[in-house]
Amino acid sequence: MLSRPKPGESEMDLLRFQSHFLAAGAAPAVQLVKKGNRGSSDANSDRPPLQDHRDVVMLDNLPDLPPALVPSPPKRARSSPGHPLPEDEDPEEKLRRHDQHITAVLTKIIERDTSSVTVNLPMPGGVAFPAVFHRSRDTQGKSATSGKRSIFAQEIAARRIVEARVPSVGEVVPNLGPPEGAVTCETLTPRDQGCQLPGSSHSFQGPNLVTGKGLRDQEAEQEAQTIHEENIARLQAMAPEEILQEQQRLLAQLDPSLVAFLRSHSRTQEQTGEKASEEQRPGGPSANVTKEKPLMSAFASEPRKGDKLEPEAPALALPMTPQKEWLHMDTVELEKLHWTQDLPPLRRQQTQERMQARFSLQGELLTPDVDLPTHLGLHHHGEEAERAGYSLQELFHLTRSQVSQQRALALHVLAQVISRAQAGEFGDRLAGSVLSLLLDAGFLFLLRFSLDDRVDGVIASAIRALRALLVAPGDEELLDSTFSWYHGALTFPLMPSQEDKEDEDEDEECPAEKAKRKSPEEESRAPPDLARHDVIKGLLATSLLPRLRYLLEVTYPGPAVVLDILAVLIRLARHSLESATRVLECPRLIETIVREFLPTSWSPVGAGPTPSLYKVPCATAMKLLRVLASAGRNIAARLLSSFDLRSRLCRFIAEAPQELALPPEEAETLSTEALRLWAVAASYGQGGDLYRELYPVLMRALQVVPQELSTHPPQPLSMQRIAALLTLLTQLTLAAGSTPAETISDSAEASLSATPSLVTWTQVSGLQPLVEPCLRQTLKLLSRPEMWRAVGPVPVACLLFLGAYYQAWSQQPSSCPEDWLQDMERLSEELLLPLLSQPTLGGLWDSLRHCSPLCNPLSCAPAPEAPPSLVSLGCSGGCPSLSLAGSASPFPFLTALLSLLNTLAQIHKGLCGQLAAILAAPGLQNYFLQCVAPGAAPHLTPFSAWALRHEYHLQYLALALAQKAAALQLLPAPHAALHHGMALALLSRLLPGSEYLAHELLLSCVFRLELLPERTSGGPEAADFSDQLSLGSSKVPWCGQGTLLAQACQDLPSIRSCYLTHCLPARASLLASQALHRGELQRVPTLLLPVPMEPLLPTDWPFLPLIHLYHRASDTPSGLSPMDTVGTAMRVLQWVLVLESWRPQALWAVPPAARLARLMCVFLVDSELFRESPVQHLVAALLAQLCQPQILPNLNLDCPLPGLTSFPDLYANFLDHFEAVSFGDHLFGALVLLPLQRRFSVTLRLALFGEHVGALRALSLPLTQLPVSLECYTVPPEDNLALLQLYFRTLVTGALRPHWCPVLYAVAIAHVNSFIFSQDPQSSDEVKVARRSMLQKTWLLADEGLRQHLLHYKLPNSTLPEGFELYSQLPPLRQHYLQRLTSAVLQNGVSET
C-alpha cells in the first residue's frame, strides 16, 4: 500500500508516486463514474464502468513560460457522452435550424364542448358584488368526510348544498344580537320578541348550554327547545330583582372556574351565531357601518381557581378586531399588535428626570412636550412612540440602512445636529456634550465608512457631516479677517495640547524632521486609539486623503461637495506641520485641485448657482494653498516650484476682480486669496521675482485704492482685498530691507536660510507716496464709527506698511540718514502728532478695558462644544462687537500705531519724547492698572491663546515705547512704576511663539533701573523705618532691608545676567521668534506657532535660577562651584526681596507656602551656602516678609504646591539636612520651626519628634528671635494622642530640655499640661486611660523642675526665660483632681500604660 504524501515532498515525488501506482495496477480508493444525461441513463445502465480513463498529470509537455494574458476563445457547448457533436457543426446554428415560429405551438387549439354543462346563475343579493370568501369562517359544520379537499373546494360544495335546498327555521342559527353600538335595519320575529325579557337588552334566541347531546337527532333538538322555552317562561314570570338575587345565589354556590367557563362558552357561541346569521342572510352585512370595540375579554386567559373576579381592563384600541379563527391567531399576543394602534397621548413631564434627546429632520432639539403632526415623518421609531423626533441612537442605526435615501437622510440630520450644537443652540438643555458623545460612539469612523459608499447622495451627506464635525463655522472667518493685523498671518496649530509622553520628550527636535518621521508607536496604534486623543490624526490614519482625492479626480461631485472637501482639507492643513505635509504629499491631490479648480482659462461664469466648479477658478482652492504655505517655508517653495503657481498668481492678480469673468463676490475673494498666498510666500523671502513682472499691476491697484475707499458704504470684500495688497507690499518691503549678510549664519541656521531676496530697495522705495494718502483718507473716518469699522483693516495695514518701510529704509547702507530722518519728522508733524491729539483716539484707549480678554475673562470661555481631541477656536456664533476680534475692537489699530511709533522712536531718538506722550492717555493707564491688579486669568483655550497673543502684542509695544522714554528720563515716576509692574505681569503671561518678546523684556524693561523710581524716592529708607516699627521684624536684629534693597539696585546688571542665563527659552525657538518679530524673512521657518500648552515662564519665575541650582546640586554628588552657587543664590534672593518690597503684586500668583519651599532650597543646595553672610541677611529679610501679619494667615502647607510632590517629603529632607549640617544655626532653626505651628499638619510635628529626635538638641533658637508668636504653636491644645505621648517621652527622657530647644520645650509643656488636666467627658476610653497614666507618672517624676513645669503651667509668655508662666498654687479644681488620682496611686500602685 502506498503511503500518503508527507510535508516537504516536491512535485517530482508526487509524479513518482503516480507512476508507481499506475505500474502496480492497484485498485483506486475512489471509483469515478461519469454519468450521462438523464435521457440516456436507462440505456447506459448496463454498460460496464470505464476502467482505464484515469486523470493522469503529465508535466513533460508543459511550456516553460506561462501563457500570455489574451482573451480566451468562446466556450462551446459540451456534448453528452452518448451524443457527440460533429466537429464542424455549430450548436447555435443547430438550435436556429430546429427553431419554429410560435404558430407551431398554437395551431392545435381545441375548444372544450360546454353545451351539456348546467349553468347556475348566482343568487340575487342586496349588494353589487357577492360576499368575499374568508378563511376565518366557521368550519365546524363541515362534514368530517371532506378528506384532503382544499378549503376552496369545501366552500364551493357547501354553497351548492345551500343553493340546492331551502333552509328550515330550525336549521338557521338565530342571531344573538348585534354588537354593542350597532344599528340594524331588521326586526325581531314575534317568537323572538316573546323571548326577550322586559326591561333588558338581552334576548334569548336559543339554548346556549343545553344542546341535547346524547339523545337521538330528532329528540335532541326538540328536547333542547322545550327546556329552553320552559326556562324563558320561568324568567318572564320573575321580576328583575328576583332574577338578580337568583343569579347571585347561583354564583355563590358554583365554582368560580365553572362560572368563567360558562361565560366564555356563551360569548363564543354568540360570536359563532352572529357570523352564521350574517353568512346565511341574503342581503349580506348591514349597510350601516358601526364602530366596534376591540374584544379584549374574549381572548383573555381564564381566571385561575381562587382568583377574585375583577373588572375588565380597558381594551386595547386596535384598528381591527383580531379573530380567533385567523391563521396563527389562536393565541393573540396583544403586545405585538401595539404598532397597529394609534399613537398614545403625549405624556407631560412632571419630574426633573432626564429624558432622551430627540431631534427634528433639521437638527432642532425638540422639547419632550411638543406635539407635532405625524405627517412630518418624525414618529417612525419604536421607543417613545408618542414623542416626535429621532434620537442619536436611532439616527446611527439609520445610517446603516440598506436604503440609500435613509442613509443620506440620517447623515444629513446628524450634520445639522452638529452644526447647531457648535453654534450653541442647545445651551444647557442637554446633559453633556453632543460632539463628545458622538465621537465616543464612533461617529468619526461611521463617516469614514460612509465615504466609501457607492451612492453619490450618501457620499455628499457624509462629506457635509464631516465638514460640520471638523470645521467650526466662525474659525475661518475670524482668521481671514485678522490676516492683515500685526503678525496676523501667524496662527497656533489647531491640535490638542495633551501630547503623549514620547512626543513630549521630542520637543527639542526640529519640527520639519518631526513632520517627516512618525514614531513606531504612532504607526502601530490603531486609528480609534489615535482618534481618542486627536481626531485629525485618527482620520489621517484611515486613508482619508486618497479617498478625497479619488472623489475629486474621478467622481466629479457637485459644487457643494467640492467646497466641503476643500474646507475639510483646509482644516487638516491647520492641524500641524505634519498634517500639512501629508496633504501636500498625497499623490495627485494637489495636482488635481490646481488643475481642476485653478485653471488659467475658463468659460465666463455669471451670477447665480454654478452647476459645476470644475475648470472654474475657486477661491477656496487658493485659500487651501495659502494655508499649506503657512505651515512651512519648504512647503511654500514646493508649491511655487512644482505646481506652476507663479503663472496662476499672475493670472488672478493681473486682472481686476471685475474683469475675471466670475461672480463678483467670488472674483473679489479669489483676488484676495491670491494676494494673501503671495504675501505668505513673501514672508519667507520667496516670490520676489513676481514683483518685477506685476509691478505695473500693483501700482495701478494702489492708485485706485483712494477711489474705492470713497465708495459709500465701503464694501467689506474690497476692504479685505486692499488690506491683503498692503500686507503683501509690507512683506516685499521687509524683503528688500534684508541684506545678504543677514541670511548667512552658523551651520545650525543654514537649513533655514534661502537665496537672497530678489526684491531691491529701489523697487519698493516709491510705494510710500502711494500708501500714505490712503492712510490719511481713512483717518478722516475716525470720528464716524460706522465708516471706521467698515474700513477697519485698511488703516491697520497702512500703519504696518509705513513701519516696515522706515525700518527697511534705515537699514540701507547707500541711503543718507538725513533723508529718512527728515521724512520721519515730516510724517510725525503732519500726521501722527495731530492724530495723537484727537479726542476720538482717547475713546479708543478707553475701550481697551471693555474689549480686553484679560479684563473680561468670561469673553474667552470655552466653546459650548469643545472636545479635547478636536480643537477649534469656538467662534461659531461670531465675536461680540465689544471683544478683541469684534468690529468695535481698538486693538488692531492701536497695536499697529504703537508698532509704527516704536519704529520711529527706535530710529529717531529725537521723536521719542513727542511720541511717548501717547502713554499718558488715561484710558491706557486705567487699562494697565486693571491688568496688573490680581484677578482670575482667562483659562488657556485655543481662542483665549489666540486673543491673548494679540493683546500681549499691544502691551509689549506700549512697554517698549515706555522703556525708550524712560531711558531718556522722560517718564514720570508713577507711570514708571506702573509700567514696570505691567512688564512683570506680561513676562509671566507670554505664550509660546513670543520668546523674543520675553527676551527683550528681560533685557530692557524688567531690570531697568529707571523703572524702579523707589530707589530715588526714599524706598530703602522707608524699608528700614518699617523694620523698626514692625514687631515681627524687630525680632530679627540682623535684617536691614533698606541696605539690602539699595545694594540690590546697584547689582541690577548682575541680576539681569543671572536671569538671562536661566530663564531664556531654547535657542532654536528664540531665533525663530526673533526672525519673525525683526522681519528677518530669510530665517523664518514657519508661520505656525508652537502649541500653547502653558506660558513660557512659570508663575514663580523669580525663583527659577534657585530651582535650577537645587536640581544641579541634586544631580552632582561632588557639589557645585562655591562662587557660582553663592552668586546665583544672592542674585535670586536680591531680586525676590525687591519684588516683595516694591512689587508685591508680581508675586501674588505664587502662594506663600511655595515661597517658603523655595527658601528652603537655599539650605538644601549646599552645606555651606547658608553660612554666607549676604545669604543669611537676605533669607532673614525674606523670612520676615513671609511672617508679616497680612501674609502669615495665607501660609497654607496642606494645599498642593507647584513643583512639589508634597511638602511633608520636602520637610523630611529638610530635617535630615538640618540634623546633619546645621550646627545650631538660628536662621536654619527658624525655618525648621515655622512649619511646626499648631494649625499645620500633625505629620510635620510627628516627623520631628518621632524620626528626628536628635535634631531637638540643635534647635537652640531663642524665644526672642522666633519670627512668629508663641501662641501659634500652643493654641489650640494638641489632640493627637501619639504626638502627646512623644512630647511626654522627650520631656521625661531628657531629649527635650529648655536650654537646648527653648521654643519646643515650652510648646511640649503647654500641650502635655493641657492634656493631663483635661476632663472632656466625650473622650474615648483609650484617651482617658492615657491621660490618667500620664498624670500619675508626672506626679511621681524625680525631676522636680520638670514636675513643677508640667503641673503648674499657666500661660505662654515668650518674654520669660522659660517661655511660660506658672501657677504659684494649683487651682482648686485641678488640686482636687490631682489629689483624687494620687490617693488611688497610693492605694493600688502606679498603673502602667
Side-chain angles (χ1 to χ4, degrees):
M1 180 177 179
L2 298 176
S3 61
R4 295 176 59 86
K6 297 180 177 57
E9 295 179 345
S10 62
E11 294 181 356
M12 299 304 298
D13 298 328
L14 297 178
L15 292 175
R16 188 176 66 256
F17 293 157
Q18 177 180 270
S19 60
H20 293 168
F21 175 74
L22 295 176
V30 177
Q31 185 175 5
L32 181 63
V33 178
K34 296 185 179 180
K35 282 184 72 175
N37 54 5
R38 295 182 179 180
S40 59
S41 59
D42 298 336
N44 300 335
S45 59
D46 53 351
R47 291 184 181 179
L50 301 177
Q51 298 294 335
D52 298 328
H53 296 278
R54 298 176 179 174
D55 294 330
V56 179
V57 180
M58 304 296 294
L59 298 181
D60 297 336
N61 298 328
L62 292 179
D64 296 334
L65 296 177
L69 297 177
V70 296
S72 60
K75 295 183 179 180
R76 299 172 61 89
R78 183 177 180 182
S79 60
S80 61
H83 301 276
L85 290 176
E87 293 295 336
D88 56 349
E89 185 175 4
D90 190 3
E92 296 182 1
E93 184 63 27
K94 180 179 180 181
L95 180 62
R96 190 178 300 108
R97 184 170 64 251
H98 290 280
D99 191 14
Q100 298 180 4
H101 196 261
I102 194 172
T103 54
V105 182
L106 301 179
T107 49
K108 300 179 180 180
I109 298 178
I110 303 175
E111 188 173 349
R112 189 175 57 176
D113 185 11
T114 59
S115 58
S116 60
V117 177
T118 305
V119 178
N120 296 326
L121 297 177
M123 297 178 60
V127 294
F129 296 95
V132 180
F133 167 68
H134 289 278
R135 291 165 55 182
S136 60
R137 290 180 178 175
D138 189 17
T139 58
Q140 295 179 0
K142 308 289 180 170
S143 62
T145 60
S146 57
K148 294 184 179 181
R149 290 192 301 173
S150 64
I151 298 177
F152 182 75
Q154 297 177 24
E155 180 64 23
I156 294 300
R159 287 192 180 185
R160 290 175 178 173
I161 295 174
V162 172
E163 294 173 358
R165 63 185 179 89
V166 178
S168 60
V169 179
E171 294 174 342
V172 179
V173 181
N175 189 11
L176 298 180
E180 184 179 354
V183 180
T184 63
C185 55
E186 298 180 1
T187 59
L188 297 176
T189 61
R191 180 185 178 107
D192 294 335
Q193 290 177 358
C195 295
Q196 187 170 5
L197 292 177
S200 175
S201 61
H202 187 74
S203 60
F204 301 94
Q205 300 176 1
N208 293 332
L209 297 178
V210 182
T211 59
K213 186 177 182 181
L215 303 176
R216 298 179 181 177
D217 294 341
Q218 297 179 357
E219 295 178 358
E221 183 179 350
Q222 183 178 359
E223 191 65 24
Q225 187 64 28
T226 302
I227 296 174
H228 175 62
E229 291 176 358
E230 290 178 358
N231 291 336
I232 293 300
R234 176 176 292 187
L235 288 173
Q236 288 178 350
M238 299 174 63
E241 294 78 4
E242 296 176 352
I243 296 176
L244 293 178
Q245 292 177 2
E246 192 68 20
Q247 181 181 12
Q248 295 297 332
R249 187 179 63 82
L250 290 175
L251 290 177
Q253 295 176 355
L254 295 177
D255 188 9
S257 59
L258 178 59
V259 175
F261 167 73
L262 295 175
R263 286 179 174 176
S264 62
H265 182 72
S266 175
R267 283 193 292 265
T268 305
Q269 205 164 11
E270 288 178 5
Q271 297 172 8
T272 306
E274 291 176 5
K275 295 175 183 177
S277 61
E278 289 179 1
E279 292 175 2
Q280 297 174 6
R281 189 177 301 139
S286 174
N288 294 335
V289 181
T290 63
K291 180 179 180 181
E292 299 181 357
K293 286 188 177 180
L295 302 177
M296 284 284 291
S297 59
F299 308 102
S301 59
E302 297 180 359
R304 291 172 296 182
K305 185 174 182 179
D307 293 348
K308 295 184 179 179
L309 297 178
E310 297 180 356
E312 297 178 357
L316 183 66
L318 299 178
M320 82 290 294
T321 303
Q323 300 298 333
K324 200 171 185 179
E325 292 77 15
W326 289 357
L327 189 62
H328 301 308
M329 292 295 285
D330 298 334
T331 302
V332 179
E333 300 176 88
L334 296 176
E335 63 275 6
K336 294 184 178 180
L337 296 176
H338 274 283
W339 66 272
T340 61
Q341 63 178 344
D342 293 336
L343 289 177
L346 193 64
R347 293 180 298 173
R348 301 297 177 180
Q349 187 178 6
Q350 302 295 336
T351 63
Q352 298 297 327
E353 295 181 0
R354 295 178 179 177
M355 302 185 68
Q356 192 175 31
R358 294 194 173 275
F359 303 90
S360 69
L361 298 182
Q362 288 74 36
E364 301 169 343
L365 179 62
L366 300 178
T367 57
D369 56 350
V370 65
D371 192 5
L372 297 177
T374 57
H375 70 270
L376 297 179
L378 300 177
H379 296 81
H380 296 281
H381 50 81
E383 297 181 359
E384 299 177 328
E386 70 278 2
R387 289 187 56 194
Y390 300 96
S391 64
L392 295 179
Q393 182 180 1
E394 292 163 353
L395 292 173
F396 261 60
H397 184 71
L398 196 59
T399 56
R400 308 310 300 166
S401 171
Q402 294 184 356
V403 182
S404 60
Q405 291 86 347
Q406 292 181 351
R407 298 198 299 272
L409 177 63
L411 292 172
H412 169 75
V413 175
L414 288 172
Q416 295 291 329
V417 170
I418 293 173
S419 300
R420 294 180 183 275
Q422 289 185 339
E425 292 187 11
F426 301 148
D428 298 333
R429 295 187 294 168
L430 289 180
S433 169
V434 174
L435 260 64
S436 299
L437 181 63
L438 290 175
L439 292 175
D440 293 341
F443 179 63
L444 189 68
F445 300 99
L446 177 65
L447 293 180
R448 182 60 188 91
F449 298 152
S450 300
L451 288 180
D452 295 333
D453 203 290
R454 298 181 179 180
V455 181
D456 293 341
V458 177
I459 296 176
S461 299
I463 289 290
R464 173 50 61 100
L466 187 62
R467 175 178 181 173
L469 177 66
L470 299 182
V471 184
D475 291 1
E476 294 300 326
E477 288 79 357
L478 175 66
L479 296 177
D480 291 345
S481 61
T482 59
F483 181 83
S484 299
W485 287 15
Y486 180 76
H487 292 296
L490 278 68
T491 58
F492 289 109
L494 297 181
M495 63 182 299
S497 58
Q498 291 83 8
E499 294 292 335
D500 296 334
K501 292 182 179 180
E502 60 268 16
D503 295 335
E504 293 177 358
D505 297 338
E506 300 169 0
D507 288 340
E508 298 299 328
E509 189 177 359
C510 178
E513 295 180 2
K514 190 186 296 186
K516 295 178 182 178
R517 180 192 56 80
K518 296 202 305 183
S519 61
E521 293 83 358
E522 184 173 334
E523 291 181 351
S524 61
R525 293 172 64 180
D529 203 14
L530 286 173
R532 193 175 300 111
H533 302 282
D534 193 332
V535 170
I536 302 299
K537 283 187 177 180
L539 268 178
L540 292 176
T542 61
S543 302
L544 175 68
L545 294 175
R547 180 59 180 172
L548 295 181
R549 186 261 308 157
Y550 173 83
L551 295 177
L552 292 176
E553 186 181 24
V554 178
T555 63
Y556 285 78
V561 180
V562 171
L563 294 177
D564 291 342
I565 292 177
L566 294 177
V568 170
L569 292 175
I570 290 173
R571 176 61 183 86
L572 297 179
R574 288 197 184 277
H575 175 266
S576 61
L577 173 60
E578 177 188 354
S579 299
T581 304
R582 296 184 65 175
V583 172
L584 177 69
E585 294 179 350
C586 180
R588 302 194 309 279
L589 177 59
I590 302 300
E591 291 91 332
T592 302
I593 293 175
V594 172
R595 181 182 66 252
E596 301 294 344
F597 307 113
L598 291 175
T600 54
S601 61
W602 64 90
S603 301
V605 180
T610 306
S612 176
L613 287 182
Y614 283 82
K615 303 302 180 182
V616 177
C618 179
T620 310
M622 186 67 73
K623 179 181 177 180
L624 171 62
L625 301 182
R626 188 249 298 179
V627 175
L628 286 174
S630 301
R633 64 180 305 113
N634 294 332
I635 295 180
R638 291 176 61 181
L639 287 174
L640 289 177
S641 60
S642 303
F643 301 100
D644 194 22
L645 286 189
R646 286 181 168 82
S647 62
R648 285 168 169 79
L649 288 177
C650 294
R651 175 68 178 85
F652 300 131
I653 296 177
E655 290 188 75
Q658 57 270 17
E659 299 175 1
L660 283 178
L662 291 172
E665 294 186 359
E666 184 69 16
E668 287 280 0
T669 309
L670 178 63
S671 179
T672 303
E673 289 299 336
L675 292 171
R676 288 173 179 170
L677 174 58
W678 190 5
V680 169
S683 300
Y684 305 121
Q686 303 171 1
D689 52 343
L690 291 175
Y691 181 69
R692 292 193 302 267
E693 300 178 17
L694 297 177
Y695 181 82
V697 176
L698 299 178
M699 293 301 102
R700 185 174 66 250
L702 272 180
Q703 292 170 358
V704 300
V705 167
Q707 180 181 354
E708 296 186 19
L709 292 174
S710 303
T711 58
H712 184 77
Q715 300 298 322
L717 292 179
S718 300
M719 297 302 104
Q720 291 290 340
R721 177 175 51 80
I722 295 172
L725 172 63
L726 294 171
T727 303
L728 167 64
L729 297 178
T730 302
Q731 299 300 327
L732 293 174
T733 303
L734 290 175
S738 61
T739 59
E742 293 179 355
T743 64
I744 301 175
S745 182
D746 54 12
S747 58
E749 303 166 23
S751 60
L752 298 178
S753 302
T755 58
S757 174
L758 300 179
V759 182
T760 62
W761 172 249
T762 307
Q763 295 172 340
V764 299
S765 58
L767 296 177
Q768 190 251 3
L770 296 176
V771 176
E772 188 175 332
C774 301
L775 177 61
R776 295 177 183 272
Q777 185 175 354
T778 55
L779 291 179
K780 295 178 182 179
L781 304 175
L782 187 58
S783 58
R784 303 166 60 183
E786 293 78 9
M787 295 292 294
W788 175 254
R789 296 174 186 176
V791 300
V794 177
V796 174
C798 291
L799 290 172
L800 294 177
F801 170 79
L802 291 178
Y805 179 83
Y806 287 110
Q807 176 183 345
W809 193 1
S810 64
Q811 295 174 355
Q812 298 304 313
S814 59
S815 63
C816 178
E818 184 178 357
D819 296 338
W820 38 267
L821 290 177
Q822 290 179 354
D823 196 76
M824 290 179 185
E825 294 176 357
R826 177 197 60 79
L827 180 67
S828 176
E829 294 176 0
E830 297 180 0
L831 185 63
L832 296 181
L833 293 180
L835 173 64
L836 300 183
S837 61
Q838 286 190 18
T840 51
L841 187 65
L844 293 180
W845 290 114
D846 293 337
S847 60
L848 280 177
R849 290 179 298 162
H850 306 292
C851 301
S852 165
L854 274 177
C855 301
N856 304 279
L858 295 180
S859 63
C860 294
E865 293 287 341
S869 59
L870 185 60
V871 177
S872 68
L873 297 181
C875 302
S876 56
C879 296
S881 177
L882 285 178
S883 64
L884 186 137
S887 58
S889 173
F891 277 92
F893 177 75
L894 294 179
T895 303
L897 178 61
L898 288 173
S899 175
L900 175 60
L901 297 182
N902 268 284
T903 302
L904 297 180
Q906 178 71 27
I907 299 172
H908 197 321
K909 300 295 189 296
L911 296 177
C912 185
Q914 300 176 358
L915 300 179
I918 194 175
L919 300 176
L924 180 61
Q925 300 296 320
N926 296 332
Y927 168 68
F928 277 175
L929 285 173
Q930 191 166 351
C931 291
V932 171
H939 181 65
L940 201 59
T941 63
F943 176 75
S944 66
W946 178 90
L948 290 173
R949 173 176 164 270
H950 286 285
E951 184 172 13
Y952 296 158
H953 286 162
L954 182 140
Q955 294 177 0
Y956 168 76
L957 293 172
L959 293 175
L961 187 59
Q963 175 265 327
K964 294 179 179 65
L968 301 176
Q969 306 293 330
L970 300 174
L971 201 63
H975 294 175
L978 177 60
H979 292 152
H980 188 251
M982 187 68 241
L984 292 171
L986 178 60
L987 182 62
S988 62
R989 295 170 179 169
L990 286 175
L991 298 175
S994 302
E995 290 83 0
Y996 175 72
L997 304 186
H999 176 266
E1000 289 298 310
L1001 286 176
L1002 290 173
L1003 190 64
S1004 59
C1005 288
V1006 173
F1007 302 102
R1008 180 166 289 278
L1009 198 59
E1010 293 81 5
L1011 295 180
L1012 288 172
E1014 291 85 357
R1015 68 179 180 88
T1016 57
S1017 60
E1021 293 79 3
D1024 287 338
F1025 185 68
S1026 176
D1027 288 344
Q1028 297 175 5
L1029 295 180
S1030 175
L1031 296 178
S1033 297
S1034 64
K1035 298 182 180 180
V1036 189
W1038 57 77
C1039 176
Q1041 292 193 31
T1043 306
L1044 296 176
L1045 289 172
Q1047 183 64 37
C1049 292
Q1050 296 178 7
D1051 294 341
L1052 273 182
S1054 301
I1055 296 174
R1056 178 179 62 185
S1057 300
C1058 175
Y1059 278 90
L1060 284 175
T1061 303
H1062 291 87
C1063 296
L1064 281 185
R1067 175 176 172 80
S1069 302
L1070 178 60
L1071 291 178
S1073 177
Q1074 178 181 347
L1076 286 169
H1077 286 86
R1078 295 175 60 175
E1080 300 171 358
L1081 305 184
Q1082 300 294 339
R1083 296 166 54 190
V1084 175
T1086 177
L1087 299 185
L1088 281 181
L1089 300 170
V1091 180
M1093 292 184 289
E1094 57 184 2
L1096 283 174
L1097 295 177
T1099 54
D1100 60 343
W1101 67 267
F1103 298 93
L1104 198 57
L1106 188 59
I1107 297 174
H1108 290 172
L1109 196 64
Y1110 168 73
H1111 288 303
R1112 286 172 53 197
S1114 302
D1115 298 338
T1116 308
S1118 59
L1120 301 176
S1121 171
M1123 295 300 298
D1124 185 20
T1125 304
V1126 174
T1128 301
M1130 280 187 56
R1131 302 312 173 206
V1132 173
L1133 295 174
Q1134 283 179 319
W1135 180 242
V1136 173
L1137 180 62
V1138 169
L1139 296 181
E1140 288 276 12
S1141 303
W1142 294 339
R1143 299 290 181 269
Q1145 67 274 9
L1147 295 175
W1148 279 342
V1150 185
R1155 302 181 215 172
L1156 176 62
R1158 272 51 175 177
L1159 287 182
M1160 288 181 173
C1161 292
V1162 177
F1163 295 84
L1164 296 175
V1165 167
D1166 194 3
S1167 60
E1168 300 294 333
L1169 176 62
F1170 66 92
R1171 303 182 187 279
E1172 299 290 337
S1173 178
V1175 174
Q1176 285 261 339
H1177 294 166
L1178 290 169
V1179 172
L1182 291 174
L1183 181 60
Q1185 292 281 349
L1186 278 178
C1187 296
Q1188 290 181 359
Q1190 62 270 23
I1191 298 179
L1192 188 60
N1194 299 325
L1195 184 63
N1196 183 11
L1197 302 180
D1198 297 331
C1199 65
L1201 299 177
L1204 285 180
T1205 55
S1206 68
F1207 187 84
D1209 293 342
L1210 175 66
Y1211 187 71
N1213 191 12
F1214 195 68
L1215 288 177
D1216 290 336
H1217 204 67
F1218 173 79
E1219 194 173 4
V1221 301
S1222 68
F1223 296 101
D1225 184 80
H1226 287 177
L1227 183 61
F1228 208 154
L1231 282 172
V1232 170
L1233 291 173
L1234 189 61
L1236 299 179
Q1237 300 178 49
R1238 177 64 182 87
R1239 62 191 180 95
F1240 296 139
S1241 174
V1242 70
T1243 307
L1244 305 176
R1245 299 188 290 276
L1246 287 173
L1248 176 61
F1249 283 89
E1251 302 174 7
H1252 299 84
V1253 183
L1256 295 175
R1257 189 165 185 174
L1259 280 171
S1260 59
L1261 181 71
L1263 288 169
T1264 56
Q1265 296 184 12
L1266 188 65
V1268 296
S1269 174
L1270 187 60
E1271 284 77 5
C1272 296
Y1273 296 88
T1274 59
V1275 179
E1278 185 63 61
D1279 56 358
N1280 187 276
L1281 182 59
L1283 181 60
L1284 289 168
Q1285 291 174 345
L1286 290 175
Y1287 281 161
F1288 187 74
R1289 179 184 300 174
T1290 54
L1291 289 172
V1292 172
T1293 58
L1296 184 60
R1297 299 182 181 181
H1299 58 279
W1300 286 350
C1301 186
V1303 176
L1304 292 183
Y1305 180 82
V1307 172
I1309 290 292
H1311 287 302
V1312 172
N1313 175 270
S1314 175
F1315 175 70
I1316 61 179
F1317 286 108
S1318 174
Q1319 301 182 28
D1320 186 6
Q1322 298 181 355
S1323 301
S1324 62
D1325 296 339
E1326 181 185 4
V1327 172
K1328 292 178 180 179
V1329 171
R1331 182 187 299 122
R1332 187 181 300 109
S1333 172
M1334 196 176 294
L1335 181 57
Q1336 292 172 355
K1337 291 181 178 181
T1338 303
W1339 184 71
L1340 296 175
L1341 279 175
D1343 188 347
E1344 187 63 28
L1346 178 60
R1347 179 177 177 273
Q1348 184 75 9
H1349 289 167
L1350 287 175
L1351 294 178
H1352 291 78
Y1353 171 84
K1354 181 179 180 181
L1355 290 173
N1357 189 347
S1358 59
T1359 60
L1360 297 178
E1362 297 85 0
F1364 48 85
E1365 300 177 5
L1366 295 176
Y1367 286 109
S1368 58
Q1369 186 177 0
L1370 284 178
L1373 186 62
R1374 291 191 176 187
Q1375 184 69 30
H1376 177 71
Y1377 180 65
L1378 183 61
Q1379 290 177 356
R1380 183 157 46 89
L1381 284 181
T1382 54
S1383 61
V1385 171
L1386 294 177
Q1387 295 177 3
N1388 303 325
V1390 180
S1391 62
E1392 298 293 337
T1393 57

